[in-house]
Amino acid sequence: MGEGDRIKVAIIGAGREGLETLSLLRKDKTVSVSILLDPDQEALGFRLEEYGYTYSSDLNLRLSHRIRELLTLQDLNLIINTLPDRHHKDLYDLNLYPAEIINGDSARFLWGLRQINEIEKRRSMITGQIEKVVEAIECGLQYVPQAHPVHEQSALLLRTSFLGTHADAAQLTLIKGDCPYQVIKDINLDTALRIKNVAKRPYIKDGDNADRIIGDVVGNKRVWEGEGEIAGGWGALRVVPVTEGSDVVGLLWLFYTTADLDLIKDDGAFVSSLIPVLGRTIRRVGEAEDLKLASVEEALSLEPLRIIGSDRPIGSRLQEVNSFLYHLLEAEDSHLYIREPATGDLVLQATTHNLPYLLGRMRIRKGQGVLGEIIERNNPLMLMETPVGTNGHVQRIATREDAVALLYLPLTVTDKGVGVIAMEFTNIHNINPNVYHSLSSIGQHLANTISSDAERYRMSQKIIKLSVVNEEGIELLSTFDLQKILALATASSAMLLDSEVSILRLNEEGKLVIKSTYGLHEDKVDQALLKLDNSISAMISQTKSPAMIYDVPEYVESAKSEVEYPYKTAIAVPILFNKELLGTLSVYNKTAMDVFSSILFTEDDREILEHFTQYAARGVVNARRYNEKQLLVTIDEVTGLRNERYLQMRFPEEIKRAKRFNRHVSLIFFEIKPFDDDVIRDVARLIQETFRYIDVLVRLKGGKFAALLPDTGDGVKDAVKRLSDSFNRLREKRPDLTLYTGYSTYPDDSEDMHELIKKSSRLYRY
């Protein structure tokens, strides 16, 4: 048998029971034990060498102390749990589906039966030990999740009954109540565990045929027998009522590929001998479940309210409440959506899926889908799988608790929906009228908390951001460096509004010119955004009023056909000073940073941005006025370039700016020999044509010049090369001229201004 065909098993517990289980499974060639795991590092299985023993090399067995390591195992079929009670919660809290968890006593009993080939000896072991094994696993399953004891004890009864018969497949159906009878659960044999060869044919579960069989067996308390078509295509089918007192508590279905009446009769006698223990066990399981359901109701009335009323962040409380309901009600999945006030969309804020990146991003548009209808109507809804008979009518003889179901619980405050809890079940045994009422009460408390916290969050964020506006405003007014003001305005506005992009334009002779951006890239999408921003800025320059856009792609038709356009929302405001338009400031793509954040800009955002632009406007005006005055004292009379005094003021400012924004700044010194006034003027014109408009060009003294290059790192070498090429054109008229250059870059060469000047002052003939 190949490794891929073997039953893959994990044994939890490296004590005596775990090692005994390992020894028993070691004899079964159809089994591959992948891991022996125990949180207790002193467990016997980890200390065998102290006693002169070791594991066989052909076992290929992993040893571990971490229960969560089970999540890393691929294609695991079975987990055998031999741990003490205190570790059960850690194990059962893991989502290990489709692997099945069984008790160590169950495993050792079943594998003991598997090793017996003669059916009479197997039956003897079953009748002699089954009650003792059932009692042992009942004690070990007291502290595990509610549905698991039902499944494990029922599965053990089914497997032992099956191993004692000649049947080719078997099924156990748990029943309670009067007509319509409630089917609590169908237990089927998992072919992956292969306790003996199981025929691969469909069981009779749904439809008119199954409904009639259940009604006949439970109603008449007698064995049902059939062949051929009415047996679902099997050679023969025998359905035995499992009784306890006067009640039918279950049905044992035995499927045969051939109708061998002697074997079937022989099996009937054996199964009849097991009915008392089957009935008592199923009844005790049902009673235990009823007691646990009462504890579920009590837990629902206390724990969620404690979580909701705690002072932890709302996001943590939502996640904890959702996780608590998921575990307590034994749902397959649970999701909590919060309604976004700005859009009405439902946004996922808590989930039992192990996909954290979905939180805050997965959304259901307003009014769309079932959840959209739930929050609009404010009525809870449960959708259940209902088998429909071949005649098209819904079955009424038996209803099923093990049906697939979806529960949608709206969270409402004064008839206004604030969210929805969506839960998925494969068995609703935990959902009764009392539980349903408790869930509604929890939803009400949760809705009130969300509503009040949302308003507190909105106000606190507004207060915090207005405080930041004042701090950033003081920074804007503390400098006369216009470039610094503009860069700070775009970076700070993006931070304040949690946006990805910010664009600032200034009005220059009636034209809005881009002066600073934040978050843009040189690609087709951002080029399209700049075109859009141009039209938006032109519009608000006319109205002098803010513009809020909730669907940016509608404004960019060209971007739709080229790439997916990532910008969804925008807000743009005019920069005004004494009602005069100085420019515009636009921000795009708001990101939802917290539970109550919105991806749409709100009126609060508009108010904050307008308040911020008042500081920006004053900063721009102050810088312009200051620069106008400084122009009179920082201009070289011969060339019209900046003078050495200006460089002494500007260079420290550029270093501070580069340090703050993690950028580079370069300084070039160069000298022309020989020189006169004509040469000096020619050089001044030449370098104005050679360097960028943002570069600071300075005449120092004599034939010495300087160029200060913001945002330039390795590019300084290209700048020196361009200077040399331009100078060569001047040498065509004055071949006696010689160029000497030196340069340095912050922070590559040094972070100290004096060291940078010293390096740039080392001039070399170029």
Side-chain angles (χ1 to χ4, degrees), residues 679-744:
V679 170
I680 295 300
R681 293 189 185 95
D682 287 342
V683 171
R685 285 192 295 270
L686 179 146
I687 62 177
Q688 285 175 315
E689 295 171 357
T690 301
F691 289 90
R692 304 171 301 175
Y693 78 94
I694 63 169
D695 297 331
V696 179
L697 305 178
V698 177
R699 183 195 176 197
L700 300 173
K701 56 186 176 182
K704 293 183 177 180
F705 294 81
L708 187 61
L709 284 60
D711 299 323
T712 303
D714 291 337
V716 67
K717 298 175 183 178
D718 295 331
V720 172
K721 179 64 168 57
R722 292 198 308 272
L723 173 64
S724 175
D725 292 341
S726 299
F727 180 72
N728 286 336
R729 294 198 300 272
L730 181 60
R731 290 180 62 180
E732 292 176 1
K733 297 190 299 182
R734 292 286 304 271
D736 59 322
L737 297 179
T738 304
L739 173 67
Y740 300 86
T741 64
Y743 58 89
S744 62

Side-chain angles (χ1 to χ4, degrees), residues 345-601:
D345 294 349
L346 288 169
V347 182
L348 183 67
Q349 297 295 357
T351 181
T352 52
H353 274 317
N354 190 25
L355 300 171
Y357 60 85
L358 292 177
L359 296 180
R361 296 182 180 178
M362 183 175 176
R363 62 179 50 235
I364 297 172
R365 296 298 179 188
K366 180 180 179 181
Q368 292 186 0
V370 175
L371 291 185
E373 285 294 319
I374 294 295
I375 200 167
E376 289 298 324
R377 300 185 183 191
N378 282 334
N379 288 322
L381 175 67
M382 176 169 276
L383 303 177
M384 293 183 58
E385 173 192 18
T386 303
V388 177
T390 55
N391 58 7
H393 295 110
V394 176
Q395 300 175 53
R396 297 192 180 277
I397 294 177
T399 60
R400 312 189 70 88
E401 285 190 359
D402 63 343
V404 174
L406 304 174
L407 173 63
Y408 299 105
L409 183 68
L411 312 177
T412 61
V413 176
T414 60
D415 295 329
K416 182 178 180 181
V418 298
V420 177
I421 296 177
M423 307 187 77
E424 305 168 16
F425 298 89
T426 55
N427 193 302
I428 57 169
H429 64 280
N430 279 339
I431 308 296
N432 63 20
N434 291 335
V435 169
Y436 195 77
H437 176 75
S438 296
L439 285 173
S440 298
S441 176
I442 291 168
Q444 184 67 47
H445 284 286
L446 196 56
N448 288 328
T449 298
I450 291 169
S451 181
S452 59
D453 278 25
E455 182 59 22
R456 283 198 298 270
Y457 175 85
R458 186 188 72 82
M459 290 304 300
S460 66
Q461 287 296 299
K462 185 174 181 180
I463 291 170
I464 291 171
K465 289 187 177 183
L466 286 174
S467 175
V468 174
V469 165
N470 292 333
E471 293 177 5
E472 295 297 303
I474 292 172
E475 182 75 13
L476 289 171
L477 299 179
S478 67
T479 179
F480 297 116
D481 185 338
L482 184 58
Q483 292 300 319
K484 180 180 178 180
I485 290 170
L486 300 178
L488 181 61
T490 49
S492 298
S493 60
M495 175 197 68
L496 282 166
L497 270 62
D498 300 321
S499 59
E500 294 183 14
V501 171
S502 178
I503 302 172
L504 188 148
R505 298 172 183 263
L506 289 183
N507 185 7
E508 294 185 353
E509 298 179 357
K511 185 177 181 180
L512 291 169
V513 180
I514 297 174
K515 290 296 184 179
S516 181
T517 65
Y518 176 89
L520 280 180
H521 308 282
E522 294 182 1
D523 56 25
K524 292 181 179 180
V525 173
D526 284 350
Q527 291 303 313
L529 180 64
L530 291 177
K531 293 179 181 178
L532 166 67
D533 186 72
N534 187 56
S535 63
I536 294 175
S537 299
M539 177 183 68
I540 65 173
S541 69
Q542 298 297 320
T543 63
K544 294 185 179 179
S545 298
M548 297 177 67
I549 300 171
Y550 298 118
D551 195 355
V552 169
E554 288 188 358
Y555 287 79
V556 191
E557 296 297 331
S558 60
K560 290 183 179 179
S561 60
E562 296 175 2
V563 290
E564 182 181 354
Y565 201 64
Y567 302 113
K568 308 301 181 185
T569 59
I571 182 171
V573 297
I575 302 175
L576 300 172
F577 185 78
N578 291 338
K579 298 183 179 180
E580 177 188 353
L581 181 72
L582 300 182
T584 62
L585 181 59
S586 311
V587 291
Y588 295 86
N589 248 34
K590 186 176 181 182
T591 56
M593 306 295 291
D594 300 296
V595 171
F596 296 120
S597 299
S598 170
I599 62 169
L600 295 186
F601 293 107

